[in-house]
Amino acid sequence: MTKDKLNVVEYFCEGKKGDLDLCEDMCIVTDNFAAVIDGATNVSGKLIENMTPGRLAATIIKETLENITPNAKLETIVEQINANFQTVFARNNLIDAIQESQWVAPSASVIIYSKYHQKIWQIGDCQLMVDDELYTNEKEIDSITANARALYLEAELKRGKTIDQLIDKDTGWEYIRTLVQQQYFLQNDSNNPFGYSVINGFPVDFSRVMTIDVSNDAKYIVLASDGYPFLKETLYKSELLLKELLVKDPLCFRLYKSSKGLVRGNQSFDDRLYLKIKV
């Protein structure tokens, strides 16, 4: 993260495995932009340029934003990001593979604050706060997969499995894995009820991009990945609620329904990044 640019009040990032080199969440703070990037979970099991697809996507977006002109509009930013994605695809001969299996493509959600335009652009399911107001951009398809996993895990418990056994081997995730892979074919599909916006190197469905105007009297902005199930105005409160959840519902299928839960040995159910800046 670039220092001494916009006034950073709080910042924290931790990978679910406790290793930042494997973390798929990234952020950038410059004189003109602040952004949080959440690379999509690897469902292909493959690496590209020695990175998971999600980490590669986050890296491309971060490096692009570091060189964007201060007055750039969202469409220009996305166009440049996608051009850089396509360069990586060509370099790794990925185009045919992506067309056949869309989940192979690196993809990411991103929230971008433009100081010049005094706007926040929310592509995908990252979340934010402007002062005390929370903005989320949840996908219906995530609710479907999370509930399907919850149903499967409840049945597993009825059949005699224990929470500890499911933390060791999440059969609920294995059950919905194919469904999660299939949803990649619905990315940026404005004509599909299950479509959703994402950065993936192809045209973005701007109709599903949320735009938040930041007023002149706003005091702070919080940008975060969805690794925080309950986003609050301070890092301390957000971390506290996460820790409580991991104790009470480590599989994340009752108090907070997610497509994935805590895996034995991991720090949390997902990578997480919290960035608070003074406006």
Side-chain angles (χ1 to χ4, degrees):
M1 184 180 68
T2 306
K3 298 180 179 179
D4 302 322
K5 301 296 183 181
L6 289 172
N7 189 354
V8 177
V9 179
E10 292 187 292
Y11 164 76
F12 180 74
C13 182
E14 183 170 79
K16 58 181 175 286
K17 296 180 181 296
D19 184 349
L20 281 179
D21 289 336
L22 301 176
C23 183
E24 293 166 330
D25 290 356
M26 293 184 181
C27 79
I28 176 174
V29 181
T30 69
D31 286 326
N32 309 295
F33 297 102
V36 164
I37 310 153
D38 182 355
T41 298
N42 187 1
V43 295
S44 70
K46 298 180 179 179
L47 301 180
I48 305 170
E49 298 188 355
N50 296 317
M51 289 181 275
T52 64
R55 183 168 176 83
L56 177 59
T59 300
I60 295 169
I61 295 170
K62 180 177 184 292
E63 291 176 351
T64 305
L65 289 173
E66 287 173 340
N67 296 289
I68 285 290
T69 56
N71 63 344
K73 295 182 179 180
L74 177 62
E75 291 78 6
T76 301
I77 295 171
V78 170
E79 182 180 4
Q80 186 58 61
I81 291 172
N82 281 344
N84 291 338
F85 266 75
Q86 289 293 329
T87 297
V88 172
F89 294 166
R91 186 165 67 225
N92 291 275
N93 298 314
L94 286 174
I95 298 298
D96 290 342
I98 289 171
Q99 289 177 344
E100 181 178 346
S101 304
Q102 190 70 44
W103 59 84
V104 172
S107 64
S109 298
V110 61
I111 290 184
I112 305 170
Y113 166 60
S114 167
K115 182 179 177 181
Y116 179 89
H117 293 289
Q118 287 189 273
K119 294 181 183 296
I120 301 171
W121 298 302
Q122 191 175 15
I123 304 175
D125 55 7
C126 290
Q127 53 189 329
L128 68 118
M129 295 183 73
V130 178
D131 292 338
D132 295 328
E133 188 163 1
L134 174 67
Y135 297 86
T136 61
N137 194 16
E138 297 173 354
K139 309 193 296 287
E140 182 181 358
I141 200 165
D142 285 343
S143 177
I144 292 170
T145 53
N147 278 290
R149 175 176 170 269
L151 184 155
Y152 193 91
L153 291 176
E154 293 287 4
E156 288 283 73
L157 292 172
K158 281 290 187 179
R159 295 174 62 198
K161 292 280 183 71
T162 66
I163 295 290
D164 279 347
Q165 286 176 324
L166 292 169
I167 289 175
D168 286 328
K169 185 178 181 181
D170 187 344
T171 54
W173 163 252
E174 293 176 356
Y175 175 73
I176 66 167
R177 186 184 186 113
T178 300
L179 190 59
V180 173
Q181 289 177 333
Q182 288 292 96
Q183 78 179 45
Y184 278 70
F185 289 100
L186 306 177
Q187 290 178 340
N188 295 313
D189 186 345
S190 58
N191 297 316
N192 194 292
F194 301 113
Y196 59 98
S197 63
V198 70
I199 299 286
N200 65 353
F202 299 94
V204 165
D205 176 14
F206 288 107
S207 70
R208 288 190 167 101
V209 174
M210 290 185 63
T211 299
I212 296 94
D213 293 312
V214 180
S215 66
N216 290 327
D217 58 353
K219 295 179 176 61
Y220 69 85
I221 293 170
V222 174
L223 308 179
S225 67
D226 64 354
Y228 285 100
F230 312 108
L231 186 64
K232 295 297 179 181
E233 70 274 12
T234 67
L235 175 62
Y236 174 78
K237 290 181 181 179
S238 302
E239 282 285 313
L240 181 63
L241 290 173
L242 172 62
K243 287 178 171 57
E244 289 178 353
L245 174 70
L246 294 177
V247 170
K248 296 177 181 178
D249 183 22
L251 284 173
C252 301
F253 77 117
R254 286 175 172 167
L255 299 178
Y256 175 75
K257 292 182 180 178
S258 173
S259 62
K260 52 195 172 186
L262 184 67
V263 173
R264 182 80 64 198
N266 284 3
Q267 303 298 311
S268 186
F269 71 97
D270 200 359
D271 301 329
R272 65 191 189 276
L273 194 151
Y274 185 103
L275 175 67
K276 182 177 183 178
I277 61 174
K278 184 177 179 181
V279 181

